[in-house]
Amino acid sequence: MTVRLQKAIADTGHSSRRKAEELIFEGRVYINEKKASIGDKISESDQIFIDGKKLHRAVANSTKILIYNKPTGEECTNPDGKKKTVFDNLPKLDSGRWISLGRLDINTTGLLLFCNNGSLANQIIHPSNNLDREYLARIRGKPTEKDLKKLLTGISIDGNKIKFTDLVKGRETTSHSWFAMVIKEGKNRAVRKLWNSIGFEVSRLKRVRLGPIFLSAKLKLGEYEFLDEKEIKKLTQNLQ
């Protein structure tokens, strides 16, 4: 079985198919010892090199997706041996590498999904799929109904209008308020920026759902579990 070179590169998580085409056109990609061309197809036994570095390809039909409960203090960046990252606690793969389906900032906890298929990972989190992202947040202060209406109507931030699609108030103390909220925006720190835009600080933030996948109450911080076939099908069945 052969696949297009661009897809094979994307599946490793190295880059998107479009970027892969650019790399091929620039002459930076080799198949075994031959310079690659647009339109090339490769088999499982072929090796891919970009700028002289070999890409590690996942074995066919071995797509894996896992859910990880991220603690605070871990960065969503590739490991470099210096800082603590979300990849440190993940299981080792025989081939390929884990690709994160989106990110959480260093102070946010909760649900992260990882996949060993870069092309599929990009498909799942593509904006066209309109995935819900559900969070629990502790807010300093007591927002009014007028404040909450602004968050649901939409606020212009960094040139984009973003909003919560659902917002439910939970318990309240003398100094803090708890909320459950849903947002479809996947940009960096979108939840915190929305609250900051109306003058409130998020003191604690946890993601509990991404699309149809929920964070299990049994999964402790720093632990992971694999999605089963039914869960993977539920996550991928409506991909664009």
Side-chain angles (χ1 to χ4, degrees), residues 12 14-15 37 70 84 98 150 155 157 162 179 237:
T12 69
H14 180 278
S15 54
S37 301
K70 177 191 174 297
K84 195 171 185 179
W98 290 115
K150 290 179 182 177
I155 298 172
I157 298 176
I162 59 177
F179 289 89
Q237 64 184 353

Side-chain angles (χ1 to χ4, degrees), residues 10 17 20 26 48 73-74 78 81 87 98 134 145 165 178 183 190 192-193 240:
R17 294 192 193 190
E26 292 168 1
I48 306 170
E74 292 184 359
N78 290 326
F87 295 93
W98 290 115
E134 184 174 350
E145 289 300 319
T165 58
W178 285 89
I183 187 172
R192 295 181 187 275
K193 287 178 179 179
Q240 300 294 320

Side-chain angles (χ1 to χ4, degrees), residues 136-139 168-172 176-180 204:
L136 298 178
R138 187 179 70 179
I139 309 299
V168 178
K169 187 175 181 180
R171 63 187 178 89
E172 189 176 88
H176 292 83
S177 306
W178 285 89
F179 289 89
R204 189 178 299 175

Side-chain angles (χ1 to χ4, degrees), residues 110-167:
L111 185 154
L112 271 175
L113 293 180
F114 292 85
C115 181
N116 66 336
N117 183 313
S119 182
L120 178 60
N122 289 331
Q123 277 185 277
I124 293 171
I125 61 173
H126 193 278
S128 64
N129 289 314
N130 227 16
L131 277 185
D132 285 339
R133 296 158 170 84
E134 184 174 350
Y135 292 84
L136 298 178
R138 187 179 70 179
I139 309 299
R140 295 189 194 278
K142 300 179 181 181
T144 65
E145 289 300 319
K146 185 177 180 180
D147 292 324
L148 303 185
K149 187 174 180 180
K150 290 179 182 177
L151 297 177
L152 289 166
T153 302
I155 298 172
S156 181
I157 298 176
D158 299 331
N160 298 306
K161 188 175 182 180
I162 59 177
K163 65 179 181 177
F164 294 130
T165 58
D166 194 19
L167 184 59

Side-chain angles (χ1 to χ4, degrees), residues 170-189:
R171 63 187 178 89
E172 189 176 88
T173 67
T174 55
S175 58
H176 292 83
S177 306
W178 285 89
F179 289 89
M181 67 220 71
V182 177
I183 187 172
K184 293 184 182 295
E185 177 61 59
K187 287 189 171 59
N188 184 39
R189 300 176 69 85

